[in-house]
Amino acid sequence: ARHATAGVPGRAQAALEILIEMVGNQAKAIVHNEKSRKFVAPLALTVFIWVFLMNSMDFLPVDLLPTLWRTMSGDPHAYLRVVPTADLNGSLGLSIGVLLLCFFYGIKVKGLGGWIHELFTAPFGNHPLLYLPNLAMQIIEYLAKTVSHGMRLFGNMYAGELLFLLIALMGMAAPSMSSIGGPLIWLGHVITGSMWALFHIFIVVLQAFIFMMLTLVYIGQAHDSH
């Protein structure tokens, strides 16, 4: 029986193959340069898995790693943020990395001269009086895309982390309540915590998918001429 099923992919392999195919199809639809896709498609897959795993750290008990860190460091006031994407430094760091890749592919596809020329001639047209407005609009566009790319991920994960903390406070408050109020608020803590944890699974996957898709879109736009 073992030999008969040796060539049949398991669930993990099947899920990975589905994920790779999905990312590959998205990359093919958005990034039309076949040579670029050889790097961009694996990059998009890496971004999705990386962001998904960082988001998934939100499922750990909110005080587990901070407590371990305080115990190991010997400092009762030691501070630890567990979810990297719930920190603006982490999410903006990822989006800035995507911005640098957009610069790289813009220069690679159009040449340094063509890329600089586009900065001064798009979107309003090639006229000396429009050079500065064009440059200003290009800078605003790059900044807006980068900030919104990182802030979207940060905002969703930070809000989710705050809700987990608020729900956890319900359980901590239960022992100090009256004989009736204590069990009720503890029950509310269990129910709302379970419901939010289940819904947060969807948010964790969705935010990783959105970040990956925007990465593909922005790099795809870097290949287009205006």
Side-chain angles (χ1 to χ4, degrees):
R2 289 183 180 179
H3 293 290
T5 59
V8 179
R11 293 180 181 178
Q13 181 180 342
L16 183 59
E17 289 176 354
I18 292 172
L19 179 60
I20 292 174
E21 183 178 0
M22 181 270 292
V23 175
N25 289 336
Q26 295 296 335
K28 189 175 182 179
I30 296 172
V31 181
H32 303 297
N33 188 306
E34 185 177 355
K35 186 176 180 180
S36 296
R37 281 202 307 271
K38 292 180 180 179
F39 174 79
V40 174
L43 170 71
L45 179 63
T46 302
V47 166
F48 176 81
I49 295 175
W50 194 14
V51 174
F52 170 75
L53 291 177
M54 288 193 291
N55 291 351
S56 298
M57 294 183 72
D58 217 359
F59 296 125
L60 296 173
V62 293
D63 56 350
L64 175 62
L65 294 183
T67 301
L68 290 175
W69 173 242
R70 285 193 294 269
T71 302
M72 294 173 62
S73 65
D75 182 1
H77 303 292
Y79 178 74
L80 176 66
R81 288 295 300 276
V82 175
V83 185
T85 48
D87 190 314
L88 195 55
N89 296 290
S91 59
L92 279 182
L94 291 170
S95 64
I96 290 172
V98 174
L99 174 66
L100 295 177
L101 283 172
C102 290
F103 289 160
F104 170 79
Y105 277 106
I107 295 172
K108 181 180 179 181
V109 172
K110 304 164 190 174
L112 180 59
W115 182 72
I116 293 176
H117 179 265
E118 189 175 89
L119 288 178
F120 288 92
T121 58
F124 300 125
N126 187 4
H127 191 280
L129 294 178
L130 299 175
Y131 288 167
L132 287 180
N134 284 329
L135 179 61
M137 288 299 296
Q138 291 278 5
I139 293 174
I140 291 172
E141 180 182 354
Y142 279 122
L143 286 175
K145 289 194 297 187
T146 301
V147 172
S148 64
H149 197 190
M151 285 291 292
R152 180 182 289 103
L153 177 61
F154 160 75
N156 281 277
M157 297 311 301
Y158 185 70
E161 192 176 51
L162 283 181
L163 282 174
F164 272 126
L165 290 171
L166 291 173
I167 292 170
L169 289 176
M170 293 174 63
M172 295 176 62
S176 62
M177 303 292 288
S178 64
S179 58
I180 298 177
L184 288 178
I185 197 169
W186 183 85
L187 181 62
H189 157 73
V190 173
I191 294 175
T192 55
S194 301
M195 291 176 61
W196 180 246
L198 292 173
F199 182 68
H200 202 63
I201 295 173
F202 171 73
I203 294 176
V204 162
V205 178
L206 179 64
Q207 290 306 313
F209 179 77
I210 291 174
F211 197 92
M212 178 203 73
M213 288 299 297
L214 288 175
T215 298
L216 287 173
V217 169
Y218 293 156
I219 293 177
Q221 289 176 346
H223 287 73
D224 298 332
S225 298
H226 300 285

